[in-house]
Amino acid sequence: PAWPEDLRQRYLRGEYSVFIVYGNVYDIVLHNGEILSVRDFLSTHFLGPSRDTIISYDPAQGIEVLKGERRHPLVNEADAILPGSSDALQTIEQHYLDGQTRIGLIMTYCGAILPAGDPAMLSDRDRTNAVRFHQWSMAGRFHDNDNICLALCESLPELNPILLSNLHIGSV
């Protein structure tokens, strides 16, 4: 597909370090004769060669370290923090965004992590996740340390509007 090259160019030009990847993100990708999920394509072929650590976060599966070392005691033998943790983004921030290694973060099902809705009707966790994600894009935590975050969702309207209006978050 053409979108990975667009994403790569925008990252290399320094336009963004935090991206929303939307569309058929739960489809498959054919790469060099290999059939992969979008997450596996991004982790092995897109981020893999250039990142020291690759982390995946899925609200149902938890945090999974796909490449690199585990840095948190809740990570079990399967390299995953238990799903449903309300502090998953905080855990990623505290234990991985330290400026010591180049991190690639892939977040799937972002409509469940950063949902759209009236702020008064969102849970504390949903509001905190949106603010934390917004801060990641603006505070330089990703850009200044050569980190990249790819948030996957099927459509933009499922995401919190604070993220869609942020000039520091790219979408492809």
Side-chain angles (χ1 to χ4, degrees), residues 1-71:
W3 62 265
E5 182 59 25
D6 178 40
L7 194 154
R8 185 175 82 76
Q9 289 300 321
R10 293 169 83 184
Y11 176 76
L12 292 175
R13 285 192 301 260
E15 292 178 25
Y16 306 103
S17 294
V18 177
F19 291 88
I20 297 170
V21 180
Y22 67 98
N24 293 329
V25 294
Y26 305 112
D27 209 345
I28 57 171
V29 175
L30 180 62
H31 181 74
N32 294 335
E34 188 178 9
I35 297 174
L36 303 163
S37 68
V38 171
R39 185 197 86 149
D40 291 344
F41 167 75
L42 289 171
S43 67
T44 57
H45 300 289
F46 187 77
L47 297 174
S50 64
R51 302 291 114 190
D52 302 315
T53 302
I54 299 173
I55 302 164
S56 175
Y57 174 57
D58 172 319
Q61 300 298 318
I63 298 171
E64 184 178 2
V65 179
L66 304 175
K67 178 183 176 184
E69 66 178 283
R70 290 179 277 170
R71 298 186 192 172

Side-chain angles (χ1 to χ4, degrees), residues 48-124:
S50 64
R51 302 291 114 190
D52 302 315
T53 302
I54 299 173
I55 302 164
S56 175
Y57 174 57
D58 172 319
Q61 300 298 318
I63 298 171
E64 184 178 2
V65 179
L66 304 175
K67 178 183 176 184
E69 66 178 283
R70 290 179 277 170
R71 298 186 192 172
H72 191 274
L74 292 179
V75 176
N76 62 24
E77 290 90 31
D79 288 340
I81 287 182
L82 300 176
S85 170
S86 61
D87 299 329
L89 298 188
Q90 181 180 8
T91 298
I92 291 168
E93 183 176 294
Q94 289 176 341
H95 295 280
Y96 291 97
L97 299 178
D98 57 7
Q100 303 300 311
T101 59
R102 293 174 302 158
I103 303 294
L105 171 60
I106 302 169
M107 296 172 42
T108 58
Y109 295 95
C110 282
I113 303 167
L114 309 161
D118 181 339
M121 300 305 289
L122 294 174
S123 70
D124 286 342

